[in-house]
Amino acid sequence: MVKSKKLLDCVSQNKTSVSDAINELQHLQSADLGYAKVDLSRKARNGYPEVIYGAGKTAEQIIEIMHTLKKQGENVLCTRVSPEKYHEIALDEPNVKYFSEAQCVQLIQHEIQLTSDYIAVVTAGTSDMSVAEEAVATAQMYGNQVKRIYDVGVAGIHRLFEHLDEIRKAKVVIVVAGMEGALVSVVGGLINAPLIAVPTSIGYGTNFGGVTALMTMLNSCASGITVVNIDNGFGAGYSASLMNHLGTKENLD
């Protein structure tokens, strides 16, 4: 946005021609790498810059996209990065930080200021942690304080009640659950904050790779629940960040 304003000022002062400005504005919006068109104007439109989805991309492709985003001066997040790809990325960019449980890579170029309000990330079981950690890494990348409350599923419901006060004080709650996904309805009936439900593919055969948990969450009788796709910790963390920043000065700055 700042670069666009400077360019338009140059046009108004006859320092840049209209045709040159149009060409420059096109380059400010995206970078064509051949195999990818990197969105450079996403932060101006959405508040957050483009995120690299690492699955299906080679380490070399991830590195080149990361370099392109790095030139914008923004922090860079890449999700679904295997340890093997991370090691290749780290050889080229030693300043990256890897979150092995979440399989996320972060390149921090400027300090992240955390919110005073926090997001509670709750899991039914330990097996749901990888998806939950993807949500945590995403939320923290965008300046959110996060509190983890793990392994409090309905099979031992007393464990949830031990942390209920902490969950209720959160501005946004993310609940991650596999199997039958029942924890979402339980938590949803006990809090007054927005709840983002994340079904996971954890479970036995009739879990159908997370479809059973997904259907349970979509059909919950508890109000105020929003459901993201199976194993989509990133989507939950991103949406929770938008909600947590509502009404604050830093929102979409």
Side-chain angles (χ1 to χ4, degrees):
M1 189 68 72
V2 174
K3 291 181 180 179
S4 298
K5 184 180 183 302
K6 288 181 179 178
L7 187 60
L8 292 174
D9 285 340
C10 288
V11 172
S12 67
Q13 297 166 14
N14 293 321
K15 296 179 179 178
T16 302
S17 68
V18 173
S19 59
D20 286 344
I22 291 173
N23 183 60
E24 184 65 24
L25 283 170
Q26 289 174 338
H27 289 296
L28 288 176
Q29 292 184 23
S30 63
D32 192 347
L33 304 182
Y35 57 85
K37 292 179 175 60
V38 184
D39 190 347
L40 303 179
S41 61
R42 189 171 300 182
K43 184 177 181 181
R45 301 193 316 272
N46 301 140
Y48 299 138
E50 181 172 5
V51 175
I52 305 169
Y53 181 70
K57 293 182 178 69
T58 65
E60 291 77 14
Q61 290 172 335
I62 293 172
I63 289 167
E64 189 173 8
I65 296 171
M66 186 173 288
H67 285 173
T68 304
L69 293 170
K70 181 182 177 181
K71 290 177 183 176
Q72 299 298 108
E74 300 296 339
N75 295 334
V76 182
L77 173 65
C78 184
T79 66
R80 304 299 169 97
V81 179
S82 67
E84 293 77 17
K85 289 181 184 178
Y86 159 67
H87 290 306
E88 290 188 54
I89 294 168
L91 289 174
D92 181 86
E93 185 58 69
N95 292 324
V96 296
K97 184 176 181 180
Y98 187 57
F99 299 83
S100 57
E101 188 75 34
Q103 292 205 332
C104 289
V105 169
Q106 292 181 355
L107 175 61
I108 306 300
Q109 300 197 91
H110 55 80
E111 184 181 357
I112 299 173
Q113 298 292 331
L114 296 181
T115 57
S116 55
D117 292 316
Y118 65 85
I119 298 167
V121 180
V122 184
T123 72
T126 304
S127 297
D128 301 308
M129 278 179 54
S130 61
V131 176
E133 284 298 306
E134 184 179 66
V136 169
T138 302
Q140 290 177 333
M141 182 74 175
Y142 299 131
N144 299 276
Q145 183 185 166
V146 176
K147 293 193 178 182
R148 298 171 175 86
I149 301 162
Y150 289 174
D151 196 25
V152 291
V154 297
I157 198 68
H158 58 287
R159 300 171 298 174
L160 173 68
F161 298 143
E162 293 169 1
H163 299 278
L164 194 52
D165 286 344
E166 192 173 20
I167 295 171
R168 282 175 167 163
K169 290 176 183 176
K171 189 172 181 179
V172 188
V173 178
I174 296 173
V175 177
V176 186
M179 299 291 188
E180 84 290 7
L183 182 63
V184 166
S185 291
V186 174
V187 175
L190 294 171
I191 66 173
N192 62 4
L195 190 158
I196 301 174
V198 189
T200 73
S201 52
I202 298 299
Y204 297 104
T206 54
N207 171 263
F208 297 113
V211 173
T212 297
L214 172 65
M215 296 302 290
T216 297
M217 294 173 182
L218 288 172
N219 287 284
S220 174
C221 62
S223 303
I225 295 174
T226 300
V227 186
V228 298
N229 210 339
I230 298 167
D231 293 336
N232 189 9
F234 163 75
Y238 188 103
S239 295
S241 177
L242 291 174
M243 294 177 186
N244 195 37
H245 281 85
L246 286 174
T248 60
K249 282 176 61 179
E250 63 266 32
N251 185 44
L252 296 183
D253 278 354

